[in-house]
Amino acid sequence: MKLPFVQPKMMGEMIRQQIRAALYRDSVSTKAELAQKTGISFPTISKTLDEMNDQGEVVLTGLGVSSGGRRPKQYRLNPDHMAGLAVGLEKDYSSYALLNYVGEVIGREKLPGVLHDGPERLTEQIGTFVKRYPHLRALTLGVPGAVNNGRVFFILDYDKFQNFDFKAFYQERFSLRVQVENDMNATVLGYHDRSGDEHDRSLVYLYLGQNGPGAGIMVNGDVVRGSSFFSGEVSFLPLYDSRNFLQAVQDRASAQNGTESRLRLIDAMSRLVAVFTATLNPHTVIFCSTDMTEHDMTDVRQGSASYVPADNLPSLIVRDWEEDYFHGLNQLTIKTMLGTGID
């Protein structure tokens, strides 16, 4: 079989990506260790690492342990080589996190929300960071809407961002590497990375949120976006004869008291868990701590068991949504800076 031709420049970047990923995971490494971890020949690793050192992308940190000859040089990524900006757009605020090249958060700011104002106000906010940090190279935006290749094609209540191509606009405006992700997709990625459980690979993360219900779905370790990138828009699920999930959740406001309101929410969540159990059969369904409590989980499980056999139900847990969400945005920003996936 004829192998595809790979341009030397492209091959060189692929080698650099593997070196970056290895140094990100292990902090410091020698040339020999990098050759072993990546499977790339020692002469190629040595040449590439010397070039990266000359360009300031990696720095010499000291000497490793000798195995009989000279002590080998140890290298790490240079934290100051570049910075990335992770941005979460919420109804009432915009949250900004500045990360260095090794993924450390070196600054945080919470600014007024821009979703009702439109792109011009968001551009002003991002522009202040671009001016302040000349080595800013990567931008990740988390948005409460359905995203296809950087363009938001469905976003409730924020007409000024409907069909706005974040990626194309900000790449051209600020010459940054731009990535745009649905907020719940970023959240399920963040949870999966923080949990560290390799067996917990099929997940559904549910959040009622300020912008309407949404779900982040992961199957076998990969985020499910769907054929038209509409996956996770659970508001539209017709769980009742005359109401969808969003309408059922909103109906809680008409309840006569707090107990009735809670029972309506438990019923809607129970039906939703049953749907996901029968279709995806995930390992875990995660709820946001501002929506549900640990005590609620018992009632949701009992409710779901009236629709599907209890033995097939997933684990039900409660998490801090904001922590998982912004961790996911940070991980996506690191991936953009390094130009490679982080496992």
Side-chain angles (χ1 to χ4, degrees):
M1 182 178 68
K2 186 177 180 181
L3 296 176
F5 175 73
V6 179
Q7 294 283 352
K9 184 177 180 180
M10 184 182 299
M11 180 61 72
E13 177 58 23
M14 290 169 61
I15 292 169
R16 287 181 178 233
Q17 287 175 2
Q18 292 187 61
I19 292 173
R20 293 174 192 136
L23 289 176
Y24 175 79
R25 286 192 297 265
D26 301 325
S27 297
V28 297
S29 288
T30 65
K31 292 179 177 179
E33 289 170 341
L34 286 169
Q36 183 179 22
K37 293 168 188 174
T38 62
I40 300 170
S41 70
F42 181 86
T44 300
I45 286 289
S46 181
K47 178 177 180 295
T48 305
L49 205 57
D50 287 342
E51 291 173 351
M52 294 171 74
N53 185 46
D54 291 341
Q55 294 164 1
E57 187 172 358
V58 301
V59 292
L60 180 66
T61 63
L63 300 175
V65 178
S66 172
S67 59
R70 293 181 179 179
R71 294 173 64 190
K73 296 178 180 179
Q74 290 183 316
Y75 295 86
R76 65 177 173 87
L77 295 173
N78 179 6
D80 299 324
H81 178 63
M82 72 169 67
L85 189 65
V87 186
L89 301 179
E90 285 297 298
K91 178 180 180 181
D92 299 324
Y93 65 90
S94 301
S95 182
Y96 291 80
L98 187 75
L99 290 81
N100 64 18
Y101 199 47
V102 296
E104 298 168 334
V105 177
I106 55 177
R108 292 186 187 275
E109 282 192 47
K110 186 173 284 190
L111 299 178
V114 299
L115 290 173
H116 285 299
D117 297 332
E120 184 177 344
R121 184 72 182 112
L122 175 59
T123 303
E124 290 176 5
Q125 290 185 354
I126 294 173
T128 61
F129 289 91
V130 173
K131 292 177 182 177
R132 200 183 310 165
Y133 303 102
H135 58 310
L136 185 63
R137 296 291 181 271
L139 171 66
T140 301
L141 292 150
V143 298
V147 181
N148 183 353
N149 193 31
R151 180 180 66 86
V152 175
F153 64 89
F154 175 78
I155 184 167
L156 281 174
D157 300 326
Y158 305 118
D159 293 341
K160 292 182 179 178
F161 282 102
Q162 183 70 31
N163 290 315
F164 181 65
D165 194 332
F166 287 84
K167 184 175 181 178
F169 184 86
Y170 289 115
Q171 281 184 164
E172 181 178 352
R173 183 66 175 264
F174 296 121
S175 298
L176 300 172
R177 306 173 192 169
V178 180
Q179 184 171 200
V180 188
E181 186 59 276
N182 167 267
D183 54 359
M184 292 311 302
N185 289 344
T187 302
V188 77
L189 283 167
Y191 166 79
H192 185 251
D193 185 76
R194 293 182 72 201
S195 72
D197 187 352
E198 287 300 316
H199 301 291
D200 200 14
R201 293 171 58 81
S202 293
L203 311 165
V204 176
Y205 205 124
L206 298 170
Y207 180 42
L208 299 184
Q210 295 181 325
N211 305 295
I217 302 169
M218 178 176 284
V219 174
N220 295 328
D222 295 320
V223 172
V224 176
R225 293 180 171 83
S227 63
S228 64
F229 297 84
F230 197 67
S231 179
E233 297 295 338
V234 295
S235 293
F236 299 98
L237 286 174
L239 299 183
Y240 299 85
D241 289 341
S242 59
R243 293 172 296 162
N244 59 29
F245 180 69
L246 174 61
Q247 291 164 337
V249 171
Q250 292 174 335
D251 278 353
R252 290 181 299 152
S254 64
Q256 295 182 357
N257 53 57
T259 299
E260 183 182 350
S261 175
R262 177 180 177 275
L263 290 175
R264 290 185 182 184
L265 178 61
I266 294 295
D267 182 62
M269 289 296 199
S270 299
R271 290 169 183 254
L272 197 57
V273 169
V275 167
F276 280 119
T277 300
T279 52
L280 299 177
N281 197 202
H283 295 95
T284 307
V285 172
I286 308 111
F287 296 85
C288 174
S289 57
T290 58
D291 299 331
M292 309 290 285
T293 66
E294 293 289 350
H295 177 64
D296 292 331
M297 295 300 95
T298 300
D299 293 338
V300 170
R301 175 169 288 277
Q302 290 176 350
S304 299
S306 67
Y307 299 107
V308 295
D311 291 345
N312 301 290
L313 289 172
S315 298
L316 306 180
I317 64 173
V318 176
R319 295 275 295 191
D320 185 314
W321 171 82
E322 193 169 85
E323 288 186 4
D324 289 333
Y325 176 34
F326 291 112
H327 181 78
L329 290 179
N330 291 351
Q331 289 299 300
L332 289 168
T333 305
I334 295 165
K335 176 181 176 180
T336 301
M337 285 194 289
L338 301 182
T340 185
I342 304 300
D343 296 321

